[in-house]
Amino acid sequence: MSVHSQAQRVTVPQLMSFKGTRKIAALTAYTAPFARLLDDSLDMLLVGDSTAMVGYALPDTLSITVDTLAAHAAAVVRATQHACVIVDMPFGSYQQSPAQAFASAAAMLAASGVSGVKLEGGQPLAETTRFLVERGIPVLAHVGLMPQYMNTMGGFKAQGMTDAAAARILEDARAQAQAGAFGIVLEGLSEPLARDITAELDIPTIGIGASPACDGQILVTEDILGLSGDKIPRFARRFADVGQVIRAAVQDYAESVRDGSFPTLDHCFGVRRPK
Ligand code: KIV
């Protein structure tokens, strides 16, 4: 039985209260089996739109839909009891207007039971964040390298490397905090900038390729478990090679089927055994 089975799920205000007291440990989760395994150890699970690339082998995150992410989010919520579950707002589901964002976010909350949404964007999306928060939808902002902006950014590149770019991103982070975001993901940023943003803002920063000074850390689960191929991003660390364990188990299974050692009569129903 989970050690947290009687405990309540981590709430958004609790995540906020961790700033300055303890680091927030977060990972992505897209499906029930993974969510079950991650739940006890983590403060937050993100049903990220990265599932487009990780789970669906798509080249980018742009084509995942509200319905698809909401279905993943519902599975993750059903499979967990402890971690705060946040879902990404898919590309095209919130940028048009605050009202469009509210309709998309409300649909995902109603369908899945997540505790909040994440959206990519700085100053231009601050009004949207305020609109959602004032209507009861907690928002985790995401600035710096924003995969949904890959076409305007010219790919997946670290951000904030010049003084001018760093100043713009600092303004983005300030605008989101002022608009009521409960936290902010800092992705692919120059380290000193991530450190400065963390020191200045009252809300927790959650880094990915940012700085050890951030108030928390998030990574794609498959990257830390050896499930995303040979190459992992420079900002990740492989904490286990689960891929190797799976390959060996599947090879064992295939050999057992082929050599007739599996299944045995123990795996069958209504077997006539000699008396
Ligand atoms: O979609 C995602 O997985 C993300 C993070 C890893 C921050 O946005």
Side-chain angles (χ1 to χ4, degrees):
M1 194 207 283
S2 152
V3 291
H4 295 291
S5 57
Q6 299 307 315
Q8 282 191 336
R9 200 181 276 285
V10 176
T11 63
V12 163
Q14 277 172 328
L15 285 179
M16 296 179 81
S17 75
F18 291 162
K19 176 141 187 144
T21 64
R22 48 166 284 197
K23 297 267 188 185
I24 296 171
L27 284 170
T28 57
Y30 316 124
T31 61
F34 271 93
R36 246 177 240 122
L37 292 168
L38 304 179
D39 190 31
D40 276 351
S41 305
L42 298 173
D43 305 305
M44 190 185 90
L45 292 171
L46 174 70
V47 185
D49 60 356
S50 53
T51 194
M53 301 170 79
V54 179
Y56 290 87
L58 289 163
D60 53 51
T61 59
L62 302 183
S63 53
I64 200 98
T65 63
V66 165
D67 286 349
T68 302
L69 265 195
H72 283 280
V76 169
V77 170
R78 282 195 296 269
T80 57
Q81 295 168 307
H82 168 67
C84 183
V85 182
I86 301 296
V87 68
D88 253 327
M89 299 283 290
F91 177 70
S93 73
Y94 63 99
Q95 291 92 343
Q96 199 178 340
S97 67
Q100 183 212 21
F102 184 81
S104 305
M108 289 205 291
L109 255 69
S112 67
V114 293
S115 302
V117 299
K118 175 166 83 59
L119 59 78
E120 296 180 12
Q123 297 179 69
L125 270 297
E127 190 196 340
T128 298
T129 294
R130 189 180 303 283
F131 194 89
L132 297 186
V133 174
E134 285 175 350
R135 285 156 182 78
I137 300 183
V139 174
L140 178 63
H142 179 156
V143 303
L145 195 172
M146 298 178 288
Q148 292 183 11
Y149 296 67
M150 53 165 280
N151 288 313
T152 43
M153 286 183 163
F156 300 122
K157 294 179 187 160
Q159 303 292 312
M161 296 302 171
T162 64
D163 287 350
R168 266 197 310 277
I169 294 169
L170 178 58
E171 284 307 322
D172 284 336
R174 282 181 182 145
Q176 283 291 344
Q178 279 160 15
F182 74 82
I184 185 158
V185 169
L186 304 180
E187 177 166 1
L189 280 194
S190 86
E191 196 279 332
L193 174 60
R195 193 173 282 275
D196 288 350
I197 293 173
T198 302
E200 182 181 314
L201 297 189
D202 290 336
I203 56 171
T205 60
I206 302 177
I208 170 166
S211 168
C214 286
D215 301 304
Q217 175 72 31
I218 186 159
L219 286 172
V220 168
T221 298
E222 283 73 359
D223 285 344
I224 70 159
L225 295 182
L227 291 170
S228 51
D230 290 336
K231 277 199 178 161
I232 58 166
R234 164 158 165 215
F235 51 77
R237 180 193 292 171
R238 186 165 287 176
F239 285 84
D241 195 351
V242 176
Q244 185 46 40
V245 173
I246 293 176
R247 256 191 300 275
V250 173
Q251 198 178 345
D252 189 11
Y253 165 77
E255 279 167 17
S256 303
V257 170
R258 289 184 189 121
D259 68 18
S261 61
F262 181 87
T264 68
L265 290 179
D266 288 343
H267 303 106
C268 301
F269 303 98
V271 176
R272 287 199 195 103
R273 301 201 187 257
K275 298 208 172 147

